[in-house]
Amino acid sequence: MGWREHRYAPAPGTPLCRVDSIPIGECREKRYGDGEEALSLLLYRCPLGVQAYVNKCPHFSLPLNSRPETFFLLAREEIMCAWHCAIFRLQDGKCTAGPAKGLGLERVTVSTVDGQVILSAGDDCV
Ligand code: FES
């Protein structure tokens, strides 16, 4: 099941945050729904814009963070899963080391309009 089929998935066109609310090289979490069934999105700001992923490690389908808004970032370019230390490149979501090597984070396509990060309708990268 892709994230768009998630019961709490926001509709295309939903504003997620302002680009400038995330410092370059940092991540923010955006949650939709309540409890363990909530959909958690990971937003990463790079110099060229914002990348978004489902905040779920492909190793055991757990969030990458064990505490709200607390992420283990490496050189502001990679993120380490809090549970078993898989490392993912934030530019493309690929796992480069650890128990999920070869797998990747599920991308969420977003675009930027007037400084606002918006959920895209399609699956193409913007
Ligand atoms: S759940 Fe992420 S490395 Fe195991």
Side-chain angles (χ1 to χ4, degrees):
M1 177 178 93
W3 72 270
R4 289 187 191 276
E5 284 78 46
H6 192 284
R7 65 186 292 198
Y8 294 121
T14 300
L16 301 178
C17 68
R18 294 210 45 88
V19 173
D20 58 11
S21 70
I22 308 174
I24 291 175
E26 294 194 15
C27 290
R28 294 289 183 266
E29 182 180 15
K30 192 84 174 153
R31 292 177 66 84
Y32 294 90
D34 296 315
E36 292 185 5
E37 300 226 346
L39 173 64
S40 172
L41 302 182
L42 176 73
L43 305 174
Y44 166 66
R45 183 166 176 207
C46 62
L48 299 177
V50 172
Q51 304 281 357
Y53 302 97
V54 176
N55 182 19
K56 184 162 58 173
C57 178
H59 181 220
F60 278 171
S61 297
L62 295 170
L64 294 164
N65 53 328
S66 60
R67 295 181 187 171
E69 292 289 351
T70 302
F71 297 101
F72 296 111
L73 299 178
L74 308 172
R76 297 177 176 253
E77 294 180 349
E78 295 178 307
I79 187 167
M80 184 170 69
C81 179
W83 305 104
H84 311 108
C85 304
I87 295 173
F88 299 87
R89 270 194 316 248
L90 285 162
Q91 196 61 47
D92 60 9
K94 299 283 187 255
C95 181
T96 58
K101 189 169 183 178
L103 302 176
L105 302 175
E106 186 178 2
R107 184 182 291 271
V108 173
T109 53
V110 296
S111 59
T112 301
V113 178
D114 294 332
Q116 188 83 28
V117 181
I118 308 284
L119 199 56
S120 297
D123 291 328
D124 54 318
C125 299
V126 177

